Amino acid sequence: MSNETRQITTAFQKLALFWRASQWQAAGGAGLNPTQGEVLQRISRRSARLGELAAMLGISQASLSDTVSSLEARGLAERRPDPEDGRVRRIEATAAGRRVAADLPQAPAALERALEEMSDTDRAALARSLVGIIRALQEADAIPVQRMCVSCRHFRPFAHADAARPHHCEFVDAAFGDASLRLDCDDHEAAPAGEAAAIWRRFETA
Amino acid sequence: MSNETRQITTAFQKLALFWRASQWQAAGGAGLNPTQGEVLQRISRRSARLGELAAMLGISQASLSDTVSSLEARGLAERRPDPEDGRVRRIEATAAGRRVAADLPQAPAALERALEEMSDTDRAALARSLVGIIRALQEADAIPVQRMCVSCRHFRPFAHADAARPHHCEFVDAAFGDASLRLDCDDHEAAPAGEAAAIWRRFETA
DNA sequence: TGATTATAGTTAGGAATCCTATATAGTTTC
DNA sequence: GAAACTATATAGGATTCCTAACTATAATCA
């Protein structure tokens, strides 16, 4: 393994610890813990199945069920039956839950500042590298499929000549640039396996 | 805030969750939990004060004291008095603890593979960006001071003409390249504030 | 159709995290 | 030598998060 790989994993480790610690602080302000805060943010954007949330957070369904129950007890979330499948519970944020979620920072402020201080090209390169890493982890089944443009059936990389906005999303039927690539898009629909690989190759080698 | 900053923080969030989940798995194999595993790895490299470990992990001292007690109960760690300060306990790994730590993966295998697949230049750029981010967080007092070359009094960036090994460590009195930059060096000694800033400027603008 | 198997989620039970607050011991300051 | 500070430990408690077992629904297939 290369030395740089070691550097990078060490850095990720530090960032992961930092992230977790920041979450205790941030969520703590609202009387929540990190997991509750994370769940609340996600469901306030889009309702989700319980199992889906558990997979995203990397904890067991049972643990997540606990967390949802405690959010429910505080009136911040609700379980609703899914009309299409009687086994499924869709977890939704209540209005109060959305208000609380809106006050939670999306990312630690210090991290945002650090990123804003980077040069535009470095930041763009970093974003691109990280998208690639997440995609590789997703491919390796190490993390659940993420709602990223690069694995979405609506995504057409480099469909336009305009260098500033070369990509196209067929769902919203609009051109956009690298900076607008989504990692967690509400309108994501997973592309079929073969197609996803082809999309990625086009994106990556451009 | 730029869109790319949003992308990057989202990516870090996913990586942080992934890291934590991987740790449950990895440490679980040895009958440990993530925090115990993390502590054991650190003290098996170098003994540390209790408060120092707590700061590194971003948890309270009280929590860390619990964790150390449970490692102690399993015979994996020991508390020893510090000869220089009677209040301080140095936490050390026992021989058994070091054996267990040696079997814990330093990073999730899938992540290492993903990094190895990147091009050398991309990987080097990523490493450099992450070092910069960690340094910025450290500057902002968002994370405890890390044992990084770029904040070490022994580090002399670009002291040599050799492009492959331009830096110099005065502690080991040897030249080395970017790929060998340490993020968690055993021999780190924090540089005085003014000097550290100057070192970083030289490093960054080169 | 009806039995079997698989899936989604809940509940039970328990160990352990991680918190805040307080206590203790040692060190530094004045 | 008292007061203030620092490093750690302990107490008490809410909550996480686990595994295992259970219920309810859906899909499969003979």
Side-chain angles (χ1 to χ4, degrees):
Chain A
M1 182 177 18
S2 79
N3 277 331
E4 270 140 356
T5 296
R6 174 87 308 125
Q7 282 175 30
I8 294 167
T9 55
T10 304
F12 280 154
Q13 180 180 29
K14 290 178 191 300
L15 287 167
L17 289 170
F18 163 65
W19 191 281
R20 186 85 184 169
S22 301
Q23 282 230 306
W24 266 104
Q25 268 206 304
L32 304 171
N33 63 40
T35 305
Q36 291 173 340
E38 195 101 42
V39 168
L40 195 54
Q41 283 190 321
R42 282 171 195 274
I43 62 177
S44 76
R45 288 201 301 269
R46 173 179 59 242
S47 77
R49 303 170 158 222
L50 194 136
E52 199 183 343
L53 287 170
M56 286 196 291
L57 301 191
I59 62 179
S60 70
Q61 283 196 353
S63 297
L64 191 70
S65 189
D66 284 350
T67 295
V68 170
S69 298
S70 80
L71 288 174
E72 220 169 20
R74 288 168 209 239
L76 302 177
E78 279 177 342
R79 289 174 222 244
R80 291 175 175 277
D82 184 312
E84 308 202 336
D85 185 334
R87 297 167 301 182
V88 171
R89 301 301 161 100
R90 300 206 67 86
I91 316 301
E92 294 181 9
T94 62
R98 274 190 293 275
R99 274 195 300 277
V100 171
D103 285 341
L104 294 175
Q106 302 222 339
L111 179 59
E112 287 183 352
R113 274 196 300 276
L115 294 174
E116 290 293 321
E117 277 169 17
M118 294 175 70
S119 75
D120 285 354
T121 51
D122 283 356
R123 191 167 50 236
L126 176 58
R128 206 178 158 95
S129 290
L130 293 175
V131 169
I133 289 168
I134 287 177
R135 183 188 157 279
L137 293 176
Q138 173 178 320
E139 282 267 294
D141 279 328
I143 55 176
V145 171
Q146 308 286 339
R147 312 177 70 86
M148 309 195 293
C149 284
V150 293
S151 63
C152 177
R153 66 184 313 159
H154 302 125
F155 181 61
R156 299 286 175 274
F158 302 102
H160 303 285
D162 180 358
R165 317 174 87 203
H167 314 308
H168 192 87
C169 171
E170 296 214 328
F171 188 85
V172 296
D173 195 22
F176 63 102
D178 273 350
S180 301
L181 279 174
R182 303 297 303 268
L183 277 180
D184 199 8
C185 177
D186 287 352
D187 303 316
H188 177 274
E189 283 177 44
E195 196 184 322
I199 289 174
W200 175 253
R201 260 194 311 282
R202 281 206 67 195
F203 177 72
E204 188 196 31
T205 60
Chain B
M1 185 178 16
S2 78
N3 277 329
E4 270 139 355
T5 296
R6 173 88 311 122
Q7 282 175 28
I8 293 167
T9 55
T10 305
F12 281 154
Q13 179 180 31
K14 291 177 190 300
L15 286 167
L17 290 169
F18 163 66
W19 192 282
R20 186 86 184 165
S22 301
Q23 282 230 306
W24 267 105
Q25 268 205 304
L32 304 170
N33 63 41
T35 304
Q36 291 173 339
E38 196 101 42
V39 168
L40 196 54
Q41 284 190 321
R42 283 172 195 273
I43 62 177
S44 75
R45 287 201 302 269
R46 174 179 59 243
S47 78
R49 302 170 159 222
L50 194 136
E52 199 183 345
L53 286 170
M56 286 197 290
L57 301 191
I59 63 178
S60 70
Q61 284 195 352
S63 296
L64 191 70
S65 189
D66 284 351
T67 295
V68 171
S69 298
S70 82
L71 288 174
E72 220 169 21
R74 289 168 208 238
L76 302 177
E78 279 176 342
R79 287 174 223 246
R80 291 176 176 277
D82 184 312
E84 308 202 336
D85 186 333
R87 297 166 299 181
V88 170
R89 302 303 161 101
R90 299 206 67 84
I91 316 300
E92 293 180 9
T94 62
R98 274 191 292 276
R99 274 196 300 278
V100 171
D103 286 341
L104 294 175
Q106 302 222 342
L111 180 58
E112 288 183 352
R113 273 196 301 276
L115 293 174
E116 291 292 323
E117 277 169 17
M118 292 175 71
S119 75
D120 286 353
T121 52
D122 283 357
R123 192 167 49 235
L126 176 59
R128 204 177 161 95
S129 290
L130 293 175
V131 169
I133 290 169
I134 287 177
R135 182 189 157 279
L137 292 176
Q138 174 178 317
E139 282 267 295
D141 279 327
I143 55 176
V145 171
Q146 308 287 337
R147 311 178 70 87
M148 310 194 293
C149 284
V150 293
S151 64
C152 179
R153 65 184 315 157
H154 302 125
F155 181 61
R156 298 286 175 275
F158 302 103
H160 303 285
D162 180 358
R165 318 174 86 202
H167 313 308
H168 192 88
C169 173
E170 297 214 329
F171 188 85
V172 296
D173 194 23
F176 64 102
D178 273 350
S180 301
L181 281 174
R182 304 296 305 267
L183 276 180
D184 199 7
C185 176
D186 286 352
D187 304 315
H188 177 273
E189 283 177 44
E195 195 184 322
I199 289 173
W200 175 253
R201 260 194 310 282
R202 281 205 66 195
F203 177 73
E204 188 196 34
T205 59

